[in-house]
Amino acid sequence: MARRRGMMSDHLKEEIAKELGFYDTVQSEGWGGIKSRDAGNMVKRAIEMAEANMQQKGRS
């Protein structure tokens, strides 16, 4: 079975993890080491960023 590709780039995930304060966990334990709450907050932040980007493009 083919592995699914993620929706977010690794760079974006790392930037959000830094912003939310759990990038040190990612570095030491990998993405599997973060709490589910942190993963949820990361997704929520990515959605907020995408919505803001869409609004900016709509104004242009």
Side-chain angles (χ1 to χ4, degrees), residues 1-32:
M1 180 175 221
R3 186 172 180 181
R4 287 181 56 199
R5 229 178 126 211
M7 296 297 292
M8 289 192 283
S9 70
D10 287 338
H11 178 74
L12 178 60
K13 289 192 290 188
E14 290 171 2
E15 289 300 314
I16 294 172
K18 288 175 186 175
E19 181 181 324
L20 297 177
F22 58 86
Y23 185 66
D24 56 331
T25 302
V26 173
Q27 285 184 310
S28 63
E29 300 177 34
W31 290 106

